[in-house]
């Protein structure tokens, strides 16, 4: 890290701060758009009687952006700022300390450092294990209607985590289907998208890369990107649903059943009585990756699994020539 120099480190973190200020509103809206539970028909409650569809009908990413701003304003657009900033800076420090700053490792949701397929896979899974708790806190902070504040971390943890999760934080990794969805996402990127990108597209870090560009290879990679988008988008929607699903395991309940009481404190919420999104009942959780996919299709339709697919495709192309 020292080889970057003091001003280099300051510049890096200032750049990160500016990037977060720009990206967080858009990523937060994406989380809410994919998390919004909107069943297409009547559902059966625990007593077997029918209940009408719940949750606002929001059909596009732009409509969700407008809805968030209308109901919660700018503070709502920046929900999740603190866990995102802290985790981003922590990961950046870790990468700078462990790896050579003169040869920084590139890491994003759709690209990982090129250290060979096995090395890249191990690196990506390690980063998943490190970042998953922060991702859970961030997604839950974004989707909760409660006002958390920026500097009261203990209160935020009491709201975002159940008593069980606070007593046994490792249970976050045991959320049914979550690790399976994340590892599948990593596997598609590392074993398919990454190698094909390196095979078909040159790096444009210097001018020589432009000479190696081929229209045929770009067309082939476009097909690859679309195919990967068709696989990755459902995994991202499923991950969003599973990340915000709270664990209430206890001695008298199994790992997916919900505790009857324990975290029902009254908290200050945003002034508007209208909620931004609808959330699935905690008493009827998803039981795993396959169960989550099946229930989303049965209750909300196949198109729900492809919400904001174009942002996934954009993310793939944004890392194509790096």
């Amino acid at each position: 890290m020292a080889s970057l120099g003091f001003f280099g480190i300051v510049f890096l973190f200032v750049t990160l701060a500016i990037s977060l200020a720009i990206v967080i509103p858009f990523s937060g809206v994406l989380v809410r758009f994919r998390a919004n539970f909107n069943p297409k028909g009547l559902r059966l409650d625990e007593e077997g009687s029918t209940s009408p569809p719940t949750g606002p009908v929001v059909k596009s990413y732009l409509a969700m952006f407008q809805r968030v701003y209308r109901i919660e304003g700018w503070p709502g657009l920046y929900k999740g700022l603190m866990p995102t900033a802290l985790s981003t800076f922590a990961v950046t420090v870790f990468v700078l300390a462990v790896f050579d700053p003169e040869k920084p490792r590139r890491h994003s949701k759709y690209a990982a450092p090129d250290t060979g397929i096995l090395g890249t896979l191990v690196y990506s899974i390690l980063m998943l294990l490190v970042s998953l708790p922060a991702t859970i806190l961030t997604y839950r902070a974004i989707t909760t209607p409660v006002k958390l504040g920026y500097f009261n971390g203990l209160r935020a943890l009491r709201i975002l985590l159940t008593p069980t999760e606070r007593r046994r934080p490792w249970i976050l990794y045991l959320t049914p289907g979550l690790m399976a969805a994340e590892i599948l996402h990593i596997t598609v990127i590392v074993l398919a998208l990454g190698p094909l990108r390196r095979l078909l597209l040159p790096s444009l870090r210097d001018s020589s890369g432009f000479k190696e560009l081929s229209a045929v290879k770009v067309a082939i990679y476009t097909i690859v990107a679309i195919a990967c988008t068709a696989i990755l988008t459902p995994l991202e929607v499923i991950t969003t649903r599973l990340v915000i699903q709270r664990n209430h395991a206890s001695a008298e309940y199994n790992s997916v059943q919900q505790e009857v009481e324990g975290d029902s404190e009254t908290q200050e919420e945003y002034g508007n009585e209208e909620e931004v999104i609808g959330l699935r009942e905690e008493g009827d959780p998803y039981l795993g990756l396959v169960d989550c996919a099946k229930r989303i299709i049965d209750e909300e339709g196949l198109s729900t699994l492809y919400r904001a697919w174009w942002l996934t495709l954009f993310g793939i192309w944004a890392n194509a020539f790096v």
Side-chain angles (χ1 to χ4, degrees):
M1 185 183 295
S3 60
L4 278 178
F6 174 77
F7 291 106
I9 294 174
V10 171
F11 178 77
L12 173 62
F13 281 100
V14 169
T15 303
L16 282 175
I18 295 173
S19 299
L20 288 175
I22 296 172
V23 170
I24 283 177
F26 296 98
S27 61
V29 171
L30 177 62
V31 169
R32 277 174 278 209
F33 182 45
R34 288 176 167 172
N36 183 42
F37 178 63
N38 184 237
K40 58 186 178 181
L42 297 177
R43 302 178 64 242
L44 295 178
D45 59 22
E46 295 178 354
E47 299 178 354
S49 58
T50 58
S51 58
T54 57
V57 179
V58 184
K59 296 184 177 180
S60 70
Y61 175 87
L62 179 59
M64 179 59 76
F65 198 107
Q66 294 171 334
R67 182 177 180 83
V68 172
Y69 182 73
R70 176 174 62 83
I71 296 176
E72 296 182 345
W74 283 106
L77 289 173
Y78 279 94
K79 285 166 68 174
L81 171 63
M82 288 305 290
T84 302
L86 291 174
S87 62
T88 299
F89 291 137
V91 169
T92 300
V93 170
F94 171 77
V95 171
L96 289 176
V98 173
F99 299 110
D100 182 3
E102 297 300 327
K103 298 178 180 178
R105 301 295 200 243
R106 180 169 52 86
H107 179 82
S108 76
K109 191 174 185 178
Y110 302 106
D114 182 13
T115 55
I117 291 180
L118 181 59
T120 302
L121 188 62
V122 171
Y123 173 89
S124 299
I125 293 176
L126 174 61
M127 294 303 296
L128 166 64
L129 295 175
V130 171
S131 63
L132 186 62
T135 301
I136 292 173
L137 291 175
T138 300
Y139 280 34
R140 292 184 185 181
I142 290 170
T143 54
T144 182
V146 178
K147 289 185 177 181
L148 298 177
Y150 291 113
F151 302 105
N152 194 338
L154 292 178
R155 174 177 174 271
L157 289 177
R158 288 197 302 271
I159 293 172
L160 299 179
L161 300 176
T162 66
T164 299
E165 291 170 336
R166 296 196 298 272
R167 288 193 302 268
R168 296 185 290 164
W170 61 85
I171 203 173
L172 296 173
Y173 292 96
L174 304 180
T175 302
L178 179 56
M179 287 297 292
E182 290 280 36
I183 290 176
L184 274 176
H185 193 279
I186 289 172
T187 301
V188 171
I189 293 171
V190 173
L191 300 185
L193 186 61
L196 289 172
R197 176 185 58 80
R198 289 189 289 271
L199 176 65
L200 296 170
L201 301 179
S203 172
L204 299 185
R205 293 180 181 178
D206 51 62
S207 58
S208 62
F210 289 95
K211 300 177 182 179
E212 301 176 16
L213 275 176
S214 165
V216 173
K217 289 184 177 181
V218 169
I220 295 174
Y221 184 76
T222 300
I223 296 173
V224 170
I226 293 172
C228 288
T229 298
I231 299 172
L232 295 177
T233 306
L235 289 174
E236 291 168 8
V237 173
I238 290 169
T239 296
T240 301
R241 297 295 182 91
L242 295 178
V243 159
I244 64 176
Q245 178 169 290
R246 289 147 54 94
N247 297 281
H248 298 263
S250 62
E252 60 269 26
Y253 293 92
N254 64 34
S255 61
V256 295
Q257 287 179 312
Q258 311 299 300
E259 293 171 334
V260 177
E261 296 178 356
D263 46 35
S264 57
E265 305 174 12
T266 301
Q267 303 290 348
E268 181 185 4
E269 299 185 359
Y270 285 84
N272 195 319
E273 295 181 359
E274 184 180 6
E275 294 185 358
V276 174
I277 63 173
L279 296 175
R280 207 168 186 279
E281 295 178 3
E282 289 194 12
D284 184 24
Y286 298 118
L287 305 180
L289 171 61
V290 175
D291 180 70
C292 182
K294 185 177 183 300
R295 290 200 192 190
I296 289 175
I297 294 172
D298 292 343
E299 296 172 349
E300 304 173 75
L302 179 62
S303 62
T304 301
L305 288 174
Y306 287 93
R307 285 180 178 173
W309 61 268
W310 52 274
L311 281 175
T312 300
L313 182 60
F314 173 80
I316 291 173
W317 268 108
N319 291 278
F321 297 100
V322 179

